[in-house]
Amino acid sequence: MRTDVHTHTTFSDGAALSSMVGAAADAGLDGVGLTDHCIVTDDAFGRRAQYDLVETYERRRELIESARERTDLALYDAAEVSFVASERDATRAFLDTAEFDYTIGSVHFAGEYDYTSDAPHVGTDDEARRAAVERYYDAVVALVESELFDVLGHLDLPERLSTLRGYSRPSDYERVAAALADARTVPEINAGRINRSLGQPHPDPSVLSRFADHGVSFVLGTDSHRPDELTERVPELRDVADRTPVELVGIGDVLA
Ligand SMILES: [Zn+2]
Ligand SMILES: [Zn+2]
C-alpha cells in the first residue's frame, strides 16, 4: 500500500490537514488523498452546511499547496462527493469547475433513506429493511453508470449499520460488480469500520472473488478522520491486501 486514497480533514469532519499528512508519513506511505465530504446540492438530511467543500475547496487548495512544500508525500487534492441521482448535472458542473485531482463518489442517502447512521426510520420489519438496502444498491449502480467519479466509496455501506447488516444479497454485489466491469470507476477497499462495529473492511471480503471474476480492480482507503485512525488502519489494510483475491491498483493507475 503506497497511497491512502480516502481521508478527511477539518474541511469536513476530520482532523487538521497537517496532522493527517504527518500520520500518512508515519505509516510509511508515499501519498495520501485528502477527500473531504462534498455535498453539491441541498439534501433532505441537513448536512450541506457542515460539508460545504463547495465553498471552501479553494481555501483548502491553498493549504494543500503550502503543505506540499513541507513533505515528500504526494498530496491529492480530492473529494468524497455524495451522489444523488437527481443532481447529476449540478454535480458534473461543479466537478468540472473544481478540477479535483480525483473524486470518490459515495451513496450516503437515497430517496427517503439515510445510510450514515443507524436507521430507525427504516423500521423493524424485514421487508422494509430489505427495501432500504435494495434502494441503496440502485443508487450505487446509478453512481457507477454516471461515470462522474474515479472511485466508488465503501460499496456496501448498509453493512455498517446494525439495523441493515446482513440484508445485502449476492445479487446486489453481482449487479455492482457487473456495472463496475463496464465503467471507468474503480471501487475501494475501505477500512472505515475495520476495528469497530463492522470489524472488517468494505466490501465484505467474502464477496471479493465475485469482483475478481468480473476483472474489477480496487484501490485502498482508510477513511480516517483522525491521525491515529490512519496509522492504525494502514497496517490492517496491508494485511487485507496480502490476502485479497482482487487486483489492487494505485490511484495513479486509475487516473492514467
Ligand atoms: Zn462516506
Ligand atoms: Zn469518508
Side-chain angles (χ1 to χ4, degrees):
M1 178 177 182
R2 319 299 313 170
T3 299
D4 180 356
V5 304
H6 191 155
T7 69
H8 296 273
T9 78
T10 48
F11 285 83
S12 58
D13 53 352
L17 196 147
S18 58
S19 72
M20 299 306 281
V21 173
D26 291 346
L29 297 178
D30 296 338
V32 59
L34 305 157
T35 54
D36 282 301
H37 288 289
C38 180
I39 296 179
V40 177
T41 58
D42 247 324
D43 65 80
F45 303 98
R47 264 182 246 103
R48 174 74 169 69
Q50 186 193 354
Y51 297 148
D52 61 350
L53 195 66
V54 174
E55 267 92 47
T56 62
Y57 76 91
E58 287 161 304
R59 196 144 45 83
R60 196 188 66 161
R61 189 158 291 169
E62 288 169 20
L63 207 66
I64 292 172
E65 275 162 15
S66 71
R68 281 178 180 139
E69 291 165 16
R70 297 187 301 273
T71 182
D72 294 331
L73 268 70
L75 304 185
Y76 294 93
D77 177 356
E80 180 183 13
V81 180
S82 285
F83 175 74
V84 178
S86 59
E87 305 300 329
R88 270 188 211 93
D89 292 347
T91 304
R92 182 174 289 110
F94 171 68
L95 295 180
D96 286 348
T97 304
E99 295 190 303
F100 291 112
D101 292 335
Y102 66 87
T103 54
I104 299 174
S106 294
V107 173
H108 293 119
F109 33 82
E112 74 265 40
Y113 301 115
D114 177 359
Y115 303 98
T116 64
S117 52
D118 251 315
H121 64 292
V122 171
T124 51
D125 77 280
D126 275 355
E127 222 167 289
R129 290 182 176 193
R130 175 59 201 158
V133 169
E134 197 162 11
R135 181 73 185 81
Y136 173 83
Y137 289 103
D138 290 344
V140 169
V141 169
L143 181 161
V144 172
E145 290 177 347
S146 78
E147 299 276 352
L148 278 171
F149 308 104
D150 303 293
V151 175
L152 166 62
H154 45 61
L155 78 82
D156 59 357
L157 184 64
E159 287 295 299
R160 184 175 292 193
L161 306 177
S162 63
T163 45
L164 299 181
R165 189 170 305 147
Y167 288 86
S168 295
R169 293 179 181 169
S171 57
D172 299 321
Y173 290 107
E174 180 61 31
R175 64 191 178 116
V176 175
L180 285 165
D182 294 335
R184 73 177 184 95
T185 306
V186 174
E188 63 166 352
I189 294 180
N190 174 301
R193 292 294 182 278
I194 201 162
N195 290 317
R196 23 180 201 135
S197 63
L198 184 58
Q200 62 180 30
H202 296 282
D204 182 344
S206 73
V207 305
L208 282 172
S209 58
R210 185 179 294 278
F211 289 83
D213 291 345
H214 282 274
V216 174
S217 316
F218 284 74
V219 292
L220 296 169
T222 64
D223 203 353
S224 295
H225 294 69
R226 292 153 33 117
D228 58 316
E229 291 176 345
L230 196 157
T231 46
E232 197 175 277
R233 291 172 186 172
V234 166
E236 303 267 3
L237 275 180
R238 288 196 168 120
D239 283 350
V240 170
D242 287 342
R243 287 180 271 116
T244 189
V246 295
E247 187 195 356
L248 298 170
V249 294
I251 191 67
D253 303 314
V254 175
L255 303 177

